[in-house]
Amino acid sequence: ARRKRACIRIQSLVRGILCRRSDTGRRVRIVVMTLKNRRNKAAREIQRLWRGYKLRKRLRAIKARVRMEDDEFDYEGIEDDFLPEMPDLPEFSDIFQSPKGRRETT
């Protein structure tokens, strides 16, 4: 029984070496690596989506908590004169004019 197990072990090692050297063995390894890469990529995508979901959920909870605390805040007596004066913004039509030489269609 011990000799038989040793023979089986030697045979499996030799088969492994021969398989790794053959073109078929190389192709099999390439397919296996491709499948592993696809599986790993899918796992990373799932993890990315899950972490984003958890983060957005936490941020919503924090914003809700801040909003509740903000509603309780007394703004009386707070001056906003420390803010700089904002210049008047140009009209939308002044910014996005049609190219010269072309007529606007209405």
Side-chain angles (χ1 to χ4, degrees):
R2 185 174 178 196
R3 187 178 178 122
K4 186 175 180 179
R5 282 195 308 264
C7 287
I8 292 172
R9 180 71 178 145
I10 291 169
Q11 284 176 348
S12 68
L13 290 172
V14 171
R15 275 195 222 108
I17 291 169
L18 293 175
C19 182
R20 283 188 288 278
R21 288 183 183 171
S22 72
D23 285 340
T24 306
R26 286 190 186 105
R27 282 191 226 120
V28 168
R29 277 198 310 283
I30 289 170
V31 168
V32 168
M33 288 306 296
T34 303
L35 292 174
K36 282 183 180 179
N37 288 341
R38 286 176 60 191
R39 186 179 62 202
N40 289 339
K41 185 178 178 182
R44 285 192 305 267
E45 181 71 10
I46 291 168
Q47 289 172 353
R48 183 182 71 82
L49 293 171
W50 177 253
R51 289 174 181 156
Y53 164 76
K54 293 295 283 183
L55 178 64
R56 288 188 300 277
K57 189 175 174 182
R58 273 185 30 211
L59 288 175
R60 274 195 302 271
I62 290 169
K63 283 171 90 175
R65 200 167 47 232
V66 167
R67 209 174 297 124
M68 284 191 307
E69 292 171 3
D70 194 35
D71 290 344
E72 298 166 359
F73 187 76
D74 182 17
Y75 288 99
E76 193 173 319
I78 295 180
E79 302 294 326
D80 63 353
D81 57 351
F82 63 90
L83 297 172
E85 287 293 320
M86 296 295 291
D88 291 334
L89 297 175
E91 290 295 321
F92 184 79
S93 59
D94 294 339
I95 297 172
F96 297 103
Q97 294 177 354
S98 62
K100 292 183 179 180
R102 290 188 178 171
R103 300 175 117 201
E104 284 190 27
T105 57
T106 54

